[in-house]
Amino acid sequence: MDFEAFFESELSALKGEGNYRIFADIERRNGTFPVADNHGDIGPDTVKVWCSNDYLGMGQHPEVLDAMHTALDKCGAGAGGTRNISGTNHYHVLLERELADLHGKENALLFTSGYVSNWTTLSTLAARIPNCVVVSDELNHASMIEGIRHSKANKKIFKHNDVRDLDRVLSELPADVPKLVAFESVYSMDGDIAPIKEICDVADRYGAMTYIDEVHAVGLYGPRGGGVAEREGLMDRIDIIEGTLGKAFGVLGGYIAASDTICDYIRSFASGFIFTTALPPAVAAGALASIRHLKTSDIERMQQRRQVKRVREKFREVGIPVLENPSHIVPVMVRDPVKCKMISDTLMAEHGIYVQPINYPTVPKGTERLRITPSPIHSDEDIDHLIEALSSIWSRCELARAAYKDVG
């Protein structure tokens, strides 16, 4: 087989569909977020980033940076091994305690990313619990889907955020079969939020374990940043809460928070935890500082909500279609992969605004979008600039489409 020719053919097909991805070569400027230096071929030397998952700008917060510098000077660069073999640093222990406290759980367990924490935990539980059936929301993240698939456990899908369908699926399973309900709180592409209480009510009715992904909620919701489940007073209803340190907390890593027994079980049996090098101590120290800050400071969350509201209102004023949702995520619906990339490229080239086009397979074909994430550090002037630039490009696209129809 000509492997190179095969790979080239597949990539060419991807490009022809408009779904080929190009990475923006940017360099974040410490202390000036959302400004970044642009090393790519398109656009000015500096750009404003409008699609970062560093939702609160904590990746450049002075307390986080100071903690990382201190840990780097004390401990050096890497952890030096897996958690079992020399890699457990005191910063890891302190961070796990802080995370357990954040979610009102007995313990927590760190992983190298949110993807790994989902994949590892779900695959281990579903594979090792005898005859386990995983009941998964149809829009769960790829990391959850892949973990469940890897377990080879029986899997059932319920319609997105549909409590009645979840009830139907669980009711059709034998009463003595172990069941695990897996879902997210904030869904990152549409920005909708799960009916957590109702899902827990149904899961309890059938004796199912509950697993929630709060990756796009931790740091942002709840009085201490514990996520949507904290905001709604439901953390005690959920067996396992999974989160990330790489989004609102601004650093890197993933984790679960649960009972002592569950955390010890995953620690003892999960290959994705056992056989990987631990997070660098400086990273753990930065995450620790970020969590501690956001437990007591509501300033960042309040300002972010103000800016999210302002962006949504401005888009409505100019008639740009935004998917309505109750979260901090603002999806501008383009619904065409080629047009989506063209708008993204034009924003960068002509206006110094970086918004990555989101296309298949991240979202279904025909739902391509620009996923905009306002932060507390985006100024009102930044918002006005974004709205004016996107409105101008949108009008040009509409005129071009009208001209094409006339010719047709």
Side-chain angles (χ1 to χ4, degrees):
M1 180 178 184
D2 188 338
F3 293 105
E4 287 292 318
F6 170 76
F7 297 145
E8 289 176 2
S9 174
E10 293 286 292
L11 289 169
S12 294
L14 196 64
K15 291 175 182 177
E17 296 169 354
N19 289 320
Y20 183 74
R21 301 178 181 202
I22 297 173
F23 296 159
D25 184 1
I26 62 173
E27 185 174 302
R28 284 158 57 103
R29 279 190 183 179
N30 180 25
T32 62
F33 181 84
V35 174
D37 291 321
N38 178 25
H39 297 282
D41 297 329
I42 300 175
D45 292 339
T46 61
V47 297
K48 292 285 180 73
V49 179
W50 274 98
C51 55
S52 174
N53 282 341
D54 186 358
Y55 292 129
L56 299 176
M58 293 301 294
Q60 297 180 41
H61 194 283
E63 292 178 25
V64 174
L65 299 185
D66 287 347
M68 295 186 74
H69 282 300
T70 298
L72 187 63
D73 291 340
K74 286 176 62 177
C75 305
T82 64
R83 288 291 298 275
N84 184 52
I85 305 176
S86 84
T88 294
N89 186 281
H90 190 52
Y91 283 111
H92 298 128
V93 176
L94 293 176
L95 178 54
E96 286 174 338
R97 290 175 185 168
E98 201 73 32
L99 288 164
D101 175 77
L102 176 67
H103 293 293
K105 298 298 184 184
E106 293 177 341
N107 213 332
L109 194 65
L110 286 172
F111 297 83
T112 50
S113 74
Y115 191 105
V116 173
S117 54
N118 265 336
W119 190 95
T120 300
T121 304
L122 285 169
S123 65
T124 302
L125 291 173
R128 297 190 65 89
I129 297 173
N131 304 313
C132 181
V133 178
V134 183
V135 183
S136 177
D137 187 287
E138 67 178 339
L139 292 187
N140 276 343
H141 190 264
S143 57
M144 303 173 77
I145 295 169
E146 290 299 325
I148 297 165
R149 181 179 295 147
H150 179 76
S151 74
K152 296 182 171 58
N154 189 7
K155 177 181 69 174
K156 301 292 182 181
I157 305 297
F158 68 96
K159 295 176 183 177
H160 178 53
N161 282 346
D162 189 328
V163 178
R164 288 185 178 180
D165 197 51
L166 172 62
D167 189 286
R168 178 192 63 78
V169 171
L170 287 170
S171 71
E172 293 174 354
L173 297 173
D176 60 345
V177 166
K179 307 166 189 69
L180 171 59
V181 176
F183 63 105
E184 301 181 40
S185 59
V186 178
Y187 286 82
S188 64
M189 289 299 121
D190 288 350
D192 54 336
I193 296 178
I196 299 174
K197 179 184 180 300
E198 290 77 7
I199 289 174
C200 289
D201 288 343
V202 173
D204 288 348
R205 193 177 307 141
Y206 294 96
M209 178 182 286
T210 47
Y211 180 105
I212 190 170
D213 174 326
E214 288 256 42
V215 159
H216 291 274
V218 290
L220 298 169
Y221 300 91
R224 301 195 306 160
V228 178
E230 185 199 22
R231 183 188 72 181
E232 299 179 6
L234 297 169
M235 292 192 295
D236 62 317
R237 301 282 308 276
I238 299 164
D239 294 296
I240 301 172
I241 298 174
E242 185 268 348
T244 185
L245 306 170
K247 292 183 170 58
F249 292 131
V251 194
L252 175 71
Y255 65 89
I256 60 168
S259 68
D260 281 329
T261 303
I262 290 174
C263 288
D264 196 21
Y265 188 85
I266 300 302
R267 183 188 70 85
S268 300
F269 290 107
S271 63
F273 175 84
I274 295 169
F275 297 106
T276 191
T277 300
L279 286 172
V283 171
L288 179 63
S290 182
I291 293 164
R292 285 176 173 172
H293 175 84
L294 290 173
K295 277 182 175 179
T296 59
S297 173
D298 215 25
I299 296 170
E300 293 83 4
R301 287 187 283 270
M302 292 300 101
Q303 178 64 5
Q304 187 217 31
R305 289 168 197 169
R306 176 189 182 276
Q307 299 307 73
V308 169
K309 181 181 179 182
R310 194 165 191 273
V311 168
R312 288 185 177 278
E313 289 173 348
K314 292 284 186 178
F315 275 136
R316 292 190 197 102
E317 288 174 9
V318 298
I320 291 177
V322 172
L323 193 63
E324 295 297 331
N325 63 55
S327 76
H328 59 284
I329 296 164
V330 184
V332 174
M333 303 305 293
V334 182
R335 303 186 186 280
D336 178 273
V338 176
K339 181 179 175 182
C340 199
K341 186 178 186 308
M342 184 275 292
I343 293 174
S344 173
D345 288 347
T346 307
L347 282 170
M348 181 77 97
E350 298 182 6
H351 302 278
I353 291 172
Y354 171 45
V355 184
Q356 185 72 12
I358 305 295
N359 52 23
Y360 179 84
T362 304
V363 295
K365 292 180 180 179
T367 69
E368 293 80 10
R369 66 199 63 185
L370 301 172
R371 180 181 177 272
I372 292 170
T373 53
S375 80
I377 313 175
H378 284 99
S379 67
D380 289 351
E381 291 75 19
D382 291 336
I383 293 174
D384 290 341
H385 180 216
L386 169 70
I387 302 301
E388 290 167 7
L390 189 50
S391 179
S392 171
I393 299 167
W394 203 273
S395 296
R396 282 152 54 185
C397 289
E398 292 300 316
L399 288 171
R401 184 167 64 177
Y404 177 80
K405 286 183 177 179
D406 289 342
V407 172

